[in-house]
Amino acid sequence: MIPTRFRYASKPMAALIAAPLALALSACGGEEADVTTDASGPIDPIAAPEGTSWTDTVTVSEEGGYVLGNPDAPLKLVEYASHTCGACAAFAMQGKPELKQEYISTGTVSIEQREVFLNTFDVVLAAMIQCGPPERVHALSDEVWGNLGQVMNGVQQNGEAIQAAGNLPMEQRFVRMAELAGFIDFFAARGLSADEARTCLSDAAAIEDMVKGADALAQEDEVTATPTFFINGSRVDGPQWSSVEPALQNAGARPAE
C-alpha cells in the first residue's frame, strides 16, 4: 500500500498538476489503528426538529468539514476521504446508505466529511463539490464516488492536454482542467451550473485556502491513508463499513427501530 500523506497538497499549488493518475487511484485504503470508544449503554434516539430529517441536515463544522446529521449528535464520526480514492468510493456505496438509514436518522450519529488531496483532480472535484450550498456537498460527493470510473475517464483520455493546462495562470488552470476532464458537464447534470463551476474554479485564493486548511487538519490527526475514520476523536480500526459499524455500536449507537 502506498501511503497517502499529502505528497501533493503540501507542495505549491502549481505542483499539484504533476500528480500521476495511477498513484491517485491506488494510494488509498486506510491503515489500521485502535478505537478506544467506550459506551456506558445504548444512546436514545434524538428527534429532529419538526418538519426536518437528520439525513437531510448538513452543517459546516468549526474545522470546515461538512457534517451530515444532527450537529450535536453524541457520536461524531469523521471521515478523511479523497474523491479519487477507490476505497472511499466503496465506503460511500456500500456503507453510507446504511449509516444514514440506521444511525444518522436517529440523531445519535453524525458524519463529518473532511478532504484529503492526493492529486490535482481531488482539488478540482472538491472545489466544485463545495461550490454550492452545504446541503449539496454529501450528495455530490456520493455522485462522484458512485460514478468514479466515468468521472476519471475524461482524465485518462485527455491526460496530455490536462498536463499542459498546468502552465495556465491559476485563475484559468482549474477551469480548463475541469473542462477537459468532463467535470463541468458531469456536475451540470447534477445541479451545479457551468457558470457556477467556472466561477468557483477561477477563485485561486479560495482553492489554495481550502487545500492548506485540509492539509493542516489531516496532518494534525496523523492521517496517512484514505479513508480514515474517527469516532469522537478515536481512530477506527479499518476503513470499511464492517469496521466502522461495530465501532459505532461499541460507542452506544443502535440501529433505527
Side-chain angles (χ1 to χ4, degrees):
M1 178 175 60
I2 303 172
T4 61
R5 191 172 176 77
F6 319 107
R7 62 177 72 236
Y8 305 112
S10 60
K11 294 181 179 180
M13 288 294 287
L16 286 170
I17 190 66
L21 178 60
L23 177 60
L25 295 181
S26 63
C28 60
E31 295 182 352
E32 295 186 354
D34 292 333
V35 61
T36 57
T37 51
D38 184 20
S40 57
I43 301 173
D44 292 334
I46 302 168
E50 186 175 355
T52 69
S53 168
W54 290 132
T55 56
D56 294 325
T57 302
V58 179
T59 53
V60 180
S61 72
E62 293 182 0
E63 292 77 14
Y66 290 83
V67 179
L68 175 64
N70 179 3
D72 297 317
L75 298 179
K76 301 181 187 299
L77 177 66
V78 171
E79 177 187 14
Y80 283 94
S82 152
H83 283 99
T84 58
C85 167
C88 301
F91 179 84
M93 295 301 100
Q94 298 167 14
K96 198 168 181 182
E98 185 174 353
L99 172 66
K100 291 171 62 177
Q101 179 178 343
E102 299 294 340
Y103 297 96
I104 291 176
S105 66
T106 69
T108 63
V109 176
S110 65
I111 181 170
E112 177 179 345
Q113 182 175 303
R114 296 183 183 177
E115 301 290 341
V116 174
F117 298 114
L118 306 180
N119 53 71
T120 308
F121 310 117
D122 279 329
V123 175
V124 176
L125 290 167
M128 298 178 77
I129 286 168
Q130 296 181 24
C131 187
E135 291 77 13
R136 294 200 300 204
V137 167
H138 281 266
L140 286 176
S141 293
D142 292 343
E143 283 289 323
V144 169
W145 282 317
N147 298 277
L148 190 56
Q150 175 189 345
V151 169
M152 301 311 294
N153 185 56
V155 175
Q156 295 168 329
Q157 292 184 346
N158 298 288
E160 290 186 8
I162 291 173
Q163 189 77 22
N167 296 319
L168 294 173
M170 292 286 289
E171 292 74 15
Q172 302 173 29
R173 180 178 309 166
F174 300 115
V175 174
R176 186 57 179 154
M177 289 180 62
E179 292 171 342
L180 290 166
F183 295 168
I184 299 289
D185 292 339
F186 179 87
F187 280 90
R190 290 159 175 83
L192 179 68
S193 73
D195 287 344
E196 285 181 293
R198 290 188 173 95
T199 297
C200 290
L201 290 169
S202 63
D203 191 342
I207 291 175
E208 188 165 9
D209 286 344
M210 177 183 69
V211 172
K212 288 180 178 178
D215 184 40
L217 277 174
Q219 290 195 47
E220 180 179 346
D221 280 343
E222 299 182 351
V223 175
T224 59
T226 56
T228 294
F229 295 94
F230 293 84
I231 298 175
N232 290 356
S234 295
R235 191 183 300 255
V236 175
D237 180 9
Q240 300 91 2
W241 176 237
S242 59
S243 301
V244 173
E245 185 177 28
L248 286 171
Q249 292 185 350
N250 183 56
R254 294 296 180 267
E257 297 182 354

